[in-house]
mmCIF file of all heavy atoms in Angstrom:
data_model
loop_
_atom_site.group_PDB
_atom_site.id
_atom_site.type_symbol
_atom_site.label_atom_id
_atom_site.label_comp_id
_atom_site.label_asym_id
_atom_site.label_seq_id
_atom_site.Cartn_x
_atom_site.Cartn_y
_atom_site.Cartn_z
ATOM 1 N N ARG A 1 -10.102 21.003 -6.570
ATOM 2 C CA ARG A 1 -11.273 21.288 -7.422
ATOM 3 C C ARG A 1 -12.557 21.108 -6.590
ATOM 4 O O ARG A 1 -12.618 20.294 -5.648
ATOM 5 C CB ARG A 1 -11.257 20.404 -8.667
ATOM 6 C CG ARG A 1 -11.414 18.901 -8.316
ATOM 7 C CD ARG A 1 -11.225 18.021 -9.564
ATOM 8 N NE ARG A 1 -11.526 16.625 -9.326
ATOM 9 C CZ ARG A 1 -12.602 15.982 -9.747
ATOM 10 N NH1 ARG A 1 -13.478 16.612 -10.514
ATOM 11 N NH2 ARG A 1 -12.785 14.722 -9.501
ATOM 12 N N ALA A 2 -13.545 21.818 -7.062
ATOM 13 C CA ALA A 2 -14.959 21.573 -6.512
ATOM 14 C C ALA A 2 -15.449 20.379 -7.198
ATOM 15 O O ALA A 2 -15.277 20.195 -8.439
ATOM 16 C CB ALA A 2 -15.785 22.827 -6.777
ATOM 17 N N THR A 3 -16.123 19.546 -6.466
ATOM 18 C CA THR A 3 -16.720 18.262 -7.102
ATOM 19 C C THR A 3 -18.206 18.347 -6.998
ATOM 20 O O THR A 3 -18.841 19.251 -7.607
ATOM 21 C CB THR A 3 -16.168 17.038 -6.401
ATOM 22 O OG1 THR A 3 -16.339 17.162 -4.957
ATOM 23 C CG2 THR A 3 -14.668 16.919 -6.683
ATOM 24 N N ALA A 4 -18.846 17.400 -6.306
ATOM 25 C CA ALA A 4 -20.306 17.462 -6.167
ATOM 26 C C ALA A 4 -20.673 18.621 -5.357
ATOM 27 O O ALA A 4 -19.885 19.198 -4.622
ATOM 28 C CB ALA A 4 -20.759 16.174 -5.450
ATOM 29 N N PRO A 5 -21.938 19.109 -5.505
ATOM 30 C CA PRO A 5 -22.384 20.321 -4.682
ATOM 31 C C PRO A 5 -22.109 20.018 -3.218
ATOM 32 O O PRO A 5 -22.432 18.954 -2.649
ATOM 33 C CB PRO A 5 -23.873 20.380 -5.002
ATOM 34 C CG PRO A 5 -23.980 19.753 -6.340
ATOM 35 C CD PRO A 5 -22.975 18.585 -6.402
ATOM 36 N N GLY A 6 -21.431 21.000 -2.609
ATOM 37 C CA GLY A 6 -21.156 20.837 -1.149
ATOM 38 C C GLY A 6 -19.904 20.179 -0.789
ATOM 39 O O GLY A 6 -19.592 20.021 0.400
ATOM 40 N N SER A 7 -19.031 19.910 -1.737
ATOM 41 C CA SER A 7 -17.775 19.269 -1.396
ATOM 42 C C SER A 7 -16.654 19.707 -2.343
ATOM 43 O O SER A 7 -16.847 20.170 -3.507
ATOM 44 C CB SER A 7 -17.892 17.754 -1.454
ATOM 45 O OG SER A 7 -18.135 17.310 -2.711
ATOM 46 N N VAL A 8 -15.412 19.566 -1.842
ATOM 47 C CA VAL A 8 -14.179 19.875 -2.680
ATOM 48 C C VAL A 8 -13.238 18.710 -2.515
ATOM 49 O O VAL A 8 -13.314 18.039 -1.546
ATOM 50 C CB VAL A 8 -13.586 21.195 -2.271
ATOM 51 C CG1 VAL A 8 -14.517 22.366 -2.629
ATOM 52 C CG2 VAL A 8 -13.227 21.239 -0.768
ATOM 53 N N GLU A 9 -12.293 18.628 -3.536
ATOM 54 C CA GLU A 9 -11.326 17.564 -3.427
ATOM 55 C C GLU A 9 -9.932 18.126 -3.599
ATOM 56 O O GLU A 9 -9.686 19.136 -4.272
ATOM 57 C CB GLU A 9 -11.527 16.566 -4.570
ATOM 58 C CG GLU A 9 -12.523 15.497 -4.331
ATOM 59 C CD GLU A 9 -12.504 14.422 -5.368
ATOM 60 O OE1 GLU A 9 -11.774 14.557 -6.414
ATOM 61 O OE2 GLU A 9 -13.277 13.515 -5.289
ATOM 62 N N LEU A 10 -9.010 17.515 -2.922
ATOM 63 C CA LEU A 10 -7.578 17.849 -2.989
ATOM 64 C C LEU A 10 -6.845 16.560 -3.310
ATOM 65 O O LEU A 10 -6.902 15.592 -2.532
ATOM 66 C CB LEU A 10 -7.045 18.529 -1.761
ATOM 67 C CG LEU A 10 -5.601 18.960 -1.746
ATOM 68 C CD1 LEU A 10 -5.323 19.936 -2.840
ATOM 69 C CD2 LEU A 10 -5.194 19.534 -0.375
ATOM 70 N N THR A 11 -6.178 16.413 -4.417
ATOM 71 C CA THR A 11 -5.557 15.207 -4.795
ATOM 72 C C THR A 11 -4.014 15.401 -4.881
ATOM 73 O O THR A 11 -3.548 16.409 -5.293
ATOM 74 C CB THR A 11 -6.062 14.635 -6.145
ATOM 75 O OG1 THR A 11 -5.737 15.588 -7.193
ATOM 76 C CG2 THR A 11 -7.524 14.355 -6.152
ATOM 77 N N VAL A 12 -3.321 14.340 -4.396
ATOM 78 C CA VAL A 12 -1.857 14.284 -4.527
ATOM 79 C C VAL A 12 -1.494 13.073 -5.329
ATOM 80 O O VAL A 12 -1.834 11.927 -4.935
ATOM 81 C CB VAL A 12 -1.186 14.236 -3.121
ATOM 82 C CG1 VAL A 12 0.260 14.195 -3.222
ATOM 83 C CG2 VAL A 12 -1.706 15.384 -2.265
ATOM 84 N N THR A 13 -0.926 13.299 -6.493
ATOM 85 C CA THR A 13 -0.614 12.230 -7.465
ATOM 86 C C THR A 13 0.844 12.197 -7.709
ATOM 87 O O THR A 13 1.491 13.212 -7.944
ATOM 88 C CB THR A 13 -1.405 12.384 -8.772
ATOM 89 O OG1 THR A 13 -2.757 12.544 -8.497
ATOM 90 C CG2 THR A 13 -1.211 11.227 -9.679
ATOM 91 N N ASP A 14 1.423 10.978 -7.684
ATOM 92 C CA ASP A 14 2.878 10.834 -8.013
ATOM 93 C C ASP A 14 3.076 9.782 -9.101
ATOM 94 O O ASP A 14 2.110 9.111 -9.507
ATOM 95 C CB ASP A 14 3.670 10.497 -6.747
ATOM 96 C CG ASP A 14 3.418 9.078 -6.233
ATOM 97 O OD1 ASP A 14 3.483 8.116 -6.941
ATOM 98 O OD2 ASP A 14 3.083 8.961 -4.980
ATOM 99 N N ASP A 15 4.348 9.694 -9.641
ATOM 100 C CA ASP A 15 4.595 8.717 -10.674
ATOM 101 C C ASP A 15 5.627 7.645 -10.194
ATOM 102 O O ASP A 15 6.455 7.179 -10.921
ATOM 103 C CB ASP A 15 5.113 9.425 -11.962
ATOM 104 C CG ASP A 15 6.399 10.203 -11.678
ATOM 105 O OD1 ASP A 15 6.862 10.241 -10.577
ATOM 106 O OD2 ASP A 15 6.926 10.719 -12.653
ATOM 107 N N GLY A 16 5.473 7.304 -8.931
ATOM 108 C CA GLY A 16 6.347 6.281 -8.303
ATOM 109 C C GLY A 16 5.811 4.855 -8.695
ATOM 110 O O GLY A 16 5.073 4.676 -9.594
ATOM 111 N N PRO A 17 6.272 3.855 -7.928
ATOM 112 C CA PRO A 17 5.890 2.494 -8.238
ATOM 113 C C PRO A 17 4.441 2.098 -7.857
ATOM 114 O O PRO A 17 3.981 1.023 -8.187
ATOM 115 C CB PRO A 17 6.850 1.709 -7.351
ATOM 116 C CG PRO A 17 7.200 2.571 -6.192
ATOM 117 C CD PRO A 17 7.175 3.985 -6.779
ATOM 118 N N GLY A 18 3.732 2.969 -7.140
ATOM 119 C CA GLY A 18 2.355 2.652 -6.756
ATOM 120 C C GLY A 18 2.296 2.008 -5.340
ATOM 121 O O GLY A 18 3.378 1.900 -4.659
ATOM 122 N N LEU A 19 1.139 1.648 -4.919
ATOM 123 C CA LEU A 19 0.901 1.172 -3.579
ATOM 124 C C LEU A 19 0.750 -0.355 -3.516
ATOM 125 O O LEU A 19 0.069 -0.928 -4.366
ATOM 126 C CB LEU A 19 -0.371 1.829 -3.003
ATOM 127 C CG LEU A 19 -0.422 3.348 -2.993
ATOM 128 C CD1 LEU A 19 -1.811 3.871 -2.617
ATOM 129 C CD2 LEU A 19 0.664 3.868 -2.051
ATOM 130 N N GLU A 20 1.360 -0.952 -2.496
ATOM 131 C CA GLU A 20 1.223 -2.450 -2.346
ATOM 132 C C GLU A 20 -0.145 -2.813 -1.941
ATOM 133 O O GLU A 20 -0.684 -3.856 -2.378
ATOM 134 C CB GLU A 20 2.280 -2.905 -1.359
ATOM 135 C CG GLU A 20 3.768 -2.620 -1.709
ATOM 136 C CD GLU A 20 4.694 -2.917 -0.639
ATOM 137 O OE1 GLU A 20 4.250 -3.500 0.417
ATOM 138 O OE2 GLU A 20 5.886 -2.533 -0.729
ATOM 139 N N ASP A 21 -0.761 -2.130 -0.946
ATOM 140 C CA ASP A 21 -2.034 -2.457 -0.447
ATOM 141 C C ASP A 21 -2.762 -1.175 -0.027
ATOM 142 O O ASP A 21 -2.786 -0.743 1.120
ATOM 143 C CB ASP A 21 -1.806 -3.331 0.817
ATOM 144 C CG ASP A 21 -3.189 -3.826 1.406
ATOM 145 O OD1 ASP A 21 -4.263 -3.622 0.750
ATOM 146 O OD2 ASP A 21 -3.145 -4.441 2.487
ATOM 147 N N PRO A 22 -3.418 -0.528 -1.042
ATOM 148 C CA PRO A 22 -4.147 0.734 -0.733
ATOM 149 C C PRO A 22 -5.182 0.640 0.337
ATOM 150 O O PRO A 22 -5.433 1.620 1.095
ATOM 151 C CB PRO A 22 -4.781 1.105 -2.051
ATOM 152 C CG PRO A 22 -3.959 0.405 -3.130
ATOM 153 C CD PRO A 22 -3.515 -0.888 -2.413
ATOM 154 N N ALA A 23 -5.789 -0.524 0.487
ATOM 155 C CA ALA A 23 -6.917 -0.631 1.431
ATOM 156 C C ALA A 23 -6.490 -0.539 2.903
ATOM 157 O O ALA A 23 -7.263 -0.039 3.733
ATOM 158 C CB ALA A 23 -7.592 -2.025 1.247
ATOM 159 N N SER A 24 -5.230 -0.903 3.199
ATOM 160 C CA SER A 24 -4.805 -0.894 4.583
ATOM 161 C C SER A 24 -3.716 0.157 4.862
ATOM 162 O O SER A 24 -3.122 0.157 5.940
ATOM 163 C CB SER A 24 -4.316 -2.273 4.995
ATOM 164 O OG SER A 24 -3.132 -2.616 4.269
ATOM 165 N N ILE A 25 -3.428 0.992 3.895
ATOM 166 C CA ILE A 25 -2.217 1.896 4.028
ATOM 167 C C ILE A 25 -2.441 2.884 5.155
ATOM 168 O O ILE A 25 -1.433 3.395 5.679
ATOM 169 C CB ILE A 25 -1.976 2.596 2.716
ATOM 170 C CG1 ILE A 25 -0.528 3.137 2.683
ATOM 171 C CG2 ILE A 25 -3.012 3.665 2.406
ATOM 172 C CD1 ILE A 25 -0.073 3.555 1.308
ATOM 173 N N PHE A 26 -3.668 3.186 5.571
ATOM 174 C CA PHE A 26 -3.878 4.195 6.641
ATOM 175 C C PHE A 26 -3.907 3.603 7.976
ATOM 176 O O PHE A 26 -4.037 4.252 9.012
ATOM 177 C CB PHE A 26 -5.171 4.982 6.348
ATOM 178 C CG PHE A 26 -5.145 5.768 5.068
ATOM 179 C CD1 PHE A 26 -5.888 5.412 3.990
ATOM 180 C CD2 PHE A 26 -4.376 6.977 5.042
ATOM 181 C CE1 PHE A 26 -5.837 6.138 2.853
ATOM 182 C CE2 PHE A 26 -4.340 7.688 3.884
ATOM 183 C CZ PHE A 26 -5.035 7.353 2.750
ATOM 184 N N ASP A 27 -3.851 2.233 8.115
ATOM 185 C CA ASP A 27 -3.838 1.576 9.412
ATOM 186 C C ASP A 27 -2.521 1.925 10.162
ATOM 187 O O ASP A 27 -1.498 2.084 9.574
ATOM 188 C CB ASP A 27 -3.931 0.100 9.238
ATOM 189 C CG ASP A 27 -5.278 -0.377 8.675
ATOM 190 O OD1 ASP A 27 -6.190 0.460 8.610
ATOM 191 O OD2 ASP A 27 -5.369 -1.529 8.224
ATOM 192 N N ALA A 28 -2.689 2.003 11.496
ATOM 193 C CA ALA A 28 -1.521 2.236 12.344
ATOM 194 C C ALA A 28 -0.515 1.095 12.103
ATOM 195 O O ALA A 28 -0.905 -0.095 12.016
ATOM 196 C CB ALA A 28 -1.899 2.302 13.786
ATOM 197 N N PHE A 29 0.715 1.440 11.978
ATOM 198 C CA PHE A 29 1.899 0.522 11.782
ATOM 199 C C PHE A 29 1.904 -0.092 10.457
ATOM 200 O O PHE A 29 2.780 -0.959 10.180
ATOM 201 C CB PHE A 29 1.923 -0.535 12.867
ATOM 202 C CG PHE A 29 1.894 -0.007 14.281
ATOM 203 C CD1 PHE A 29 0.782 -0.177 15.087
ATOM 204 C CD2 PHE A 29 2.995 0.686 14.827
ATOM 205 C CE1 PHE A 29 0.781 0.341 16.367
ATOM 206 C CE2 PHE A 29 2.992 1.192 16.076
ATOM 207 C CZ PHE A 29 1.838 0.997 16.866
ATOM 208 N N ALA A 30 1.091 0.321 9.523
ATOM 209 C CA ALA A 30 1.186 -0.163 8.128
ATOM 210 C C ALA A 30 2.409 0.515 7.490
ATOM 211 O O ALA A 30 2.580 1.732 7.526
ATOM 212 C CB ALA A 30 -0.076 0.165 7.368
ATOM 213 N N LYS A 31 3.272 -0.315 6.899
ATOM 214 C CA LYS A 31 4.527 0.240 6.300
ATOM 215 C C LYS A 31 4.824 -0.367 4.931
ATOM 216 O O LYS A 31 4.612 -1.592 4.742
ATOM 217 C CB LYS A 31 5.735 -0.090 7.252
ATOM 218 C CG LYS A 31 5.620 0.615 8.592
ATOM 219 C CD LYS A 31 6.714 0.085 9.508
ATOM 220 C CE LYS A 31 8.092 0.489 9.030
ATOM 221 N NZ LYS A 31 9.210 0.138 9.972
ATOM 222 N N GLY A 32 5.223 0.419 3.974
ATOM 223 C CA GLY A 32 5.644 -0.094 2.714
ATOM 224 C C GLY A 32 7.038 -0.503 2.761
ATOM 225 O O GLY A 32 7.820 -0.364 3.759
ATOM 226 N N ALA A 33 7.502 -1.239 1.689
ATOM 227 C CA ALA A 33 8.826 -1.799 1.665
ATOM 228 C C ALA A 33 9.907 -0.734 1.828
ATOM 229 O O ALA A 33 10.999 -0.991 2.419
ATOM 230 C CB ALA A 33 9.008 -2.552 0.354
ATOM 231 N N ALA A 34 9.733 0.467 1.347
ATOM 232 C CA ALA A 34 10.706 1.550 1.416
ATOM 233 C C ALA A 34 10.615 2.403 2.690
ATOM 234 O O ALA A 34 11.354 3.309 2.867
ATOM 235 C CB ALA A 34 10.598 2.454 0.179
ATOM 236 N N SER A 35 9.632 2.030 3.542
ATOM 237 C CA SER A 35 9.460 2.887 4.733
ATOM 238 C C SER A 35 10.587 2.703 5.755
ATOM 239 O O SER A 35 10.976 1.565 6.006
ATOM 240 C CB SER A 35 8.075 2.598 5.393
ATOM 241 O OG SER A 35 7.949 3.281 6.606
ATOM 242 N N THR A 36 10.950 3.795 6.352
ATOM 243 C CA THR A 36 11.950 3.709 7.449
ATOM 244 C C THR A 36 11.333 4.206 8.781
ATOM 245 O O THR A 36 12.096 4.355 9.759
ATOM 246 C CB THR A 36 13.164 4.556 7.142
ATOM 247 O OG1 THR A 36 12.806 5.887 6.888
ATOM 248 C CG2 THR A 36 13.866 4.030 5.866
#
């Protein structure tokens, strides 16, 4: 969807258990409990 003037958003939403630590999830080597 288009949001504020000059930008667009693409969202990916699921109905799983959620995130343990959203703030650090993009850090290198950050892994959730189910990660292999």
Side-chain angles (χ1 to χ4, degrees):
R1 66 188 183 106
T3 53
S7 66
V8 293
E9 277 187 358
L10 182 60
T11 60
V12 181
T13 306
D14 67 55
D15 60 357
L19 303 171
E20 298 170 10
D21 185 7
S24 64
I25 198 167
F26 297 107
D27 294 345
F29 304 111
K31 297 172 64 174
S35 175
T36 58

